[in-house]
Amino acid sequence: MAAFVPSPHHPQLYGAKADGAAMETIIRQAFTSAAQKPGATVAFNERVSTRPGDSLGISPLYLLMGCTLPVYFLVIAMQRAVGFSRRAHMATMVGGAALACYFTSAYGMDAIPPHPLALLYLFLLTQAVAPTSYGFVPFLGPFFPGAAVTLFILLGVSSSGCSVPVDLLPGFFRFLHPVLPMGNAADALRDVS
């Protein structure tokens, strides 16, 4: 997101690095070259910056991965807990997901501002991943880990908009962004920031 305010001698460009460092670079280059007049300099005003120490703005990606991977491995572990009922499996996954979200966001990294809604969004992400992965088991059997990793990690990370802004993604991944849970979680976390 950017806004340009033209002026003969002091044009202003407003941007949000939190939407992606790559997008900010493209916007700066485009407007700086378009506004090149003798004696004119484009002043850039950062409206939504990234967290301190995260110049590229990709730490939310690691936070989302830190919540997604533990619940995925918990689903795999539940397959070995044959003495548990389905209800016990689900309760264990819900409790494990809550702990993963809490410890990843509260103690793991300073990727997002401390906000109660952020913790809720991270928990909802885990609840989209764990039951869906668990639901793959009866249908895919030993192939469920590959299907879950492909869907939630490979496609989820690529379409999340965390490392590359959504507007710069290829069409297929731009289509997947609002469909897969990691893209929705990334958008929700940006809204909280």
Side-chain angles (χ1 to χ4, degrees), residues 1-6 11-16 19 23-24 27-28 31-32 42-47:
M1 178 185 320
F4 182 70
V5 179
Q12 301 284 316
L13 179 61
Y14 296 89
D19 277 343
M23 184 62 85
E24 180 187 335
I27 289 169
R28 277 187 182 210
F31 281 99
T32 300
V42 177
F44 185 79
N45 298 295
E46 188 72 57
R47 303 312 294 170

Side-chain angles (χ1 to χ4, degrees), residues 71-148:
V71 296
Y72 166 74
F73 290 122
L74 193 56
V75 171
I76 292 174
M78 287 298 100
Q79 301 316 300
R80 304 218 187 277
V82 292
F84 282 25
S85 66
R86 283 187 186 260
R87 186 174 297 204
H89 281 180
M90 291 304 293
T92 303
M93 286 187 283
V94 168
L99 288 173
C101 292
Y102 177 74
F103 284 111
T104 302
S105 64
Y107 299 107
M109 55 187 73
D110 187 29
I112 55 174
H115 195 285
L117 276 179
L119 192 58
L120 173 65
Y121 294 150
L122 292 172
F123 178 74
L124 291 174
L125 168 66
T126 64
Q127 295 313 294
V129 171
T132 305
S133 297
Y134 187 71
F136 285 163
V137 174
F139 300 105
L140 301 176
F143 300 108
F144 103 87

Side-chain angles (χ1 to χ4, degrees), residues 20-22 56-58 61 157-158 160-165 169 190:
L56 296 177
I58 61 169
L61 173 65
V157 168
S158 301
S160 69
C162 289
S163 58
V164 175
L169 290 173
R190 280 191 194 103

